[in-house]
Amino acid sequence: SWRSSTAPPSERPGERRTAEMKKLYGKDAPKILAMEAAMQLTFDRNCDLKQPKYWPVIPLKL
Amino acid sequence: SVSTSAASGADAEELQKEQDARTVLRESFLRCLLSMTSKKVQFHMHEKVKVEATFGASDIDVLNFQVSDLHTPIGVQKEALIRCQDVISFTFDT
Amino acid sequence: MQCGWSLLGPLQWLRYINREVKVRAGNDEEHRGWLLTVDPVSASVVLVNFRKGGASVQVVMGHAVEEVEVLKEADDETAERLRTTFLPQRTLSLDP
């Protein structure tokens, strides 16, 4: 599946991610977190819906 | 002591500056990715591979791009994922 | 393999914003344009070249960036165009 080579979102529990984001983005963390959540949701939804396959099948650059 | 609290105050200020900078940069980049939705994008990849596709979405870690109608050298792939590691640059028009 | 570009960090990258730059990438690519932003997650560089009625955007992936050379600074008008490049323009298109 498309998730096999990347860290699945489930490995990042919401709480830990929020703390990480707070450290990176300070007071604006909620804004960035919301934008990223929306983008990741679109990506995940599109992948579920369209079932895209990697191209090229073998990575060009390892 | 006084010196440590002064130092940590300066550190805190520096940290906040860096956080603000990171926010400006990231927000602007996310807006750029969002503006690409449904646009035709040309990808320049390693090994001199050039392909065009309709952009769908990126994951937030910028590891994969989900695209449609990918014109590969050997035909059109209706739905595809492109590994960002394979990409050198990409271009689109606003 | 990779220059220090990815390691510069937000405060350094911020200094390249609104500058016209030349970016060398991969083995044989060179891109020129106004630097709009640098993604702090991937170190990818967003370059803009204005055209009639819009802009051409080039994004160079952070892992492929070899060198970034500053050519010049944007004037106020260019800086303003850069600022609004990716802002939603619904207010303009709402009234027919």
Side-chain angles (χ1 to χ4, degrees), chain B residues 43-81:
Chain B
F43 294 93
H44 293 194
M45 305 172 72
H46 285 288
E47 313 303 331
K48 298 194 190 299
V49 176
K50 292 192 181 181
V51 292
E52 188 177 272
T54 304
F55 196 81
S58 166
D59 57 13
I60 57 174
D61 299 313
V62 204
L63 296 173
N64 302 287
F65 295 138
Q66 174 261 320
V67 301
S68 300
D69 294 318
L70 175 70
H71 287 66
T72 81
I74 54 157
V76 178
Q77 185 169 324
K78 188 86 191 100
E79 305 295 345
L81 278 178

Side-chain angles (χ1 to χ4, degrees), chain B residues 14 17-18 21-22 25-26 28-29 31-32 35 44 46 48 61-62 84-85 87-94, chain C residues 10-11 14 17 28-29 31 36-41 46 51 54-61 63-64 86:
Chain B
E14 188 71 4
K17 262 194 218 161
E18 189 176 291
R22 190 179 282 114
L25 295 165
R26 182 65 169 165
S28 181
F29 185 73
R31 285 194 193 287
C32 170
S35 79
H44 293 194
H46 285 288
K48 298 194 190 299
D61 299 313
V62 204
C84 298
Q85 273 298 324
V87 177
I88 295 173
S89 68
F90 56 91
T91 307
F92 65 97
D93 291 327
T94 61
Chain C
L11 290 172
L14 202 64
I17 282 192
D28 52 1
E29 281 194 23
H31 301 276
L36 186 105
T37 192
V38 179
D39 176 31
V41 173
V46 181
R51 293 176 176 177
S56 161
V57 182
Q58 293 157 315
V59 181
V60 185
M61 302 303 295
H63 64 82
F86 294 122

Side-chain angles (χ1 to χ4, degrees), chain C residues 8-68:
Chain C
L8 284 185
L11 290 172
Q12 294 296 316
W13 289 322
L14 202 64
R15 294 161 65 169
Y16 287 84
I17 282 192
N18 292 350
R19 304 286 195 276
E20 190 184 27
V21 297
K22 206 158 76 176
V23 179
R24 268 204 313 112
N27 290 327
D28 52 1
E29 281 194 23
E30 192 173 278
H31 301 276
R32 196 179 165 140
W34 296 102
L35 191 143
L36 186 105
T37 192
V38 179
D39 176 31
V41 173
S42 63
S44 300
V45 177
V46 181
L47 302 179
V48 175
N49 283 285
F50 294 111
R51 293 176 176 177
K52 230 182 181 172
S56 161
V57 182
Q58 293 157 315
V59 181
V60 185
M61 302 303 295
H63 64 82
V65 172
E66 301 269 338
E67 190 186 2
V68 182

Side-chain angles (χ1 to χ4, degrees), chain B residues 7-21:
Chain B
S8 64
D11 283 354
E13 200 178 307
E14 188 71 4
L15 178 67
Q16 197 191 325
K17 262 194 218 161
E18 189 176 291
Q19 289 170 337
D20 291 349

Side-chain angles (χ1 to χ4, degrees), chain A residues 1-10 40 43-45 47-48 54, chain B residues 64 81:
Chain A
S1 101
W2 60 270
R3 274 176 183 166
S4 56
S5 68
T6 63
S10 55
Q40 188 67 44
F43 180 85
D44 290 345
R45 200 189 48 208
C47 287
D48 285 345
Y54 273 113
Chain B
N64 302 287
L81 278 178

